[in-house]
Amino acid sequence: FWMKRNGWNQNLIAVILENSPIYGFSVRRNSSTDALIAYVNNSTVTSSGIVPNNSWCHVALTRQGSGLNLYLSGNLNSNLTISPNTGQLRSNEVLVVGTESVYGGVGASPYPYIGCIDELRIWNYARTQSEISTNMNNQITSAAGLVCYLTFDS
């Protein structure tokens, strides 16, 4: 997905969140360093450096086997080795963009994301760095493995 932040709220903000008590993923702000933190099924990977204010940045998160990788603007930024048995993301979870969710349904968050989000894509396989960097500037409306595609053009 693409993000352009226009500041941060004081608390940890969910940029994107698919959420349940056990499974899910989210990309949030580290409140002490302003880095991005990506959570996948209770494992975390933190970006080295921050996403600058008022500038578009492409963010991609992949998980394959024991590797959790965070890409910023097509480049591998940070990675983590995790247990390969941390569970699968489930398709019946609530997908929330730009705010936090309450388990079992969307709740009102006092700390919404401040900025823009565009081109959210969820794939059913881990994209390679080459696939990410080659296609991050291309609009892909359908492709093998693309299970969710959201634009925020209107």
Side-chain angles (χ1 to χ4, degrees):
F1 68 94
W2 285 93
M3 69 179 285
K4 178 181 166 187
R5 72 181 186 93
N6 298 330
W8 290 119
N9 278 314
Q10 62 188 356
N11 206 346
L12 288 174
I13 313 310
V15 174
I16 295 179
L17 177 62
E18 181 175 7
N19 182 332
S20 78
I22 301 170
Y23 305 108
F25 71 87
S26 66
V27 178
R28 301 170 170 261
R29 167 189 174 233
N30 180 318
S31 60
S32 60
T33 66
D34 278 348
L36 291 181
I37 304 174
Y39 293 87
V40 175
N41 297 337
N42 295 322
S43 297
T44 62
V45 60
T46 302
S47 68
S48 59
I50 64 170
V51 174
N53 249 350
N54 300 311
S55 179
W56 284 101
C57 179
H58 186 265
V59 179
L61 178 65
T62 65
R63 177 185 157 223
Q64 182 169 7
S66 60
L68 182 59
N69 298 309
L70 178 64
Y71 298 88
L72 297 181
S73 297
N75 298 307
L76 180 63
N77 180 274
S78 188
N79 62 357
L80 177 72
T81 301
I82 61 174
S83 168
N85 298 319
T86 57
Q88 297 294 316
L89 296 178
R90 301 180 305 192
S91 62
N92 62 344
E93 295 297 331
V94 175
L95 176 64
V96 180
V97 179
T99 189
E100 294 199 83
S101 173
V102 177
Y103 298 142
V106 177
S109 171
Y111 306 110
Y113 173 69
I114 301 173
C116 301
I117 298 172
D118 200 12
E119 295 280 328
L120 170 62
R121 304 171 190 163
I122 300 176
W123 300 84
N124 64 5
Y125 72 97
R127 307 268 288 168
T128 65
Q129 182 171 359
S130 176
E131 289 173 314
I132 292 167
S133 63
T134 300
N135 293 298
M136 67 183 197
N137 292 308
N138 300 327
Q139 199 171 43
I140 302 173
T141 56
S142 97
L146 182 62
V147 295
C148 179
Y149 176 71
L150 301 172
T151 62
F152 302 93
D153 297 336
S154 54

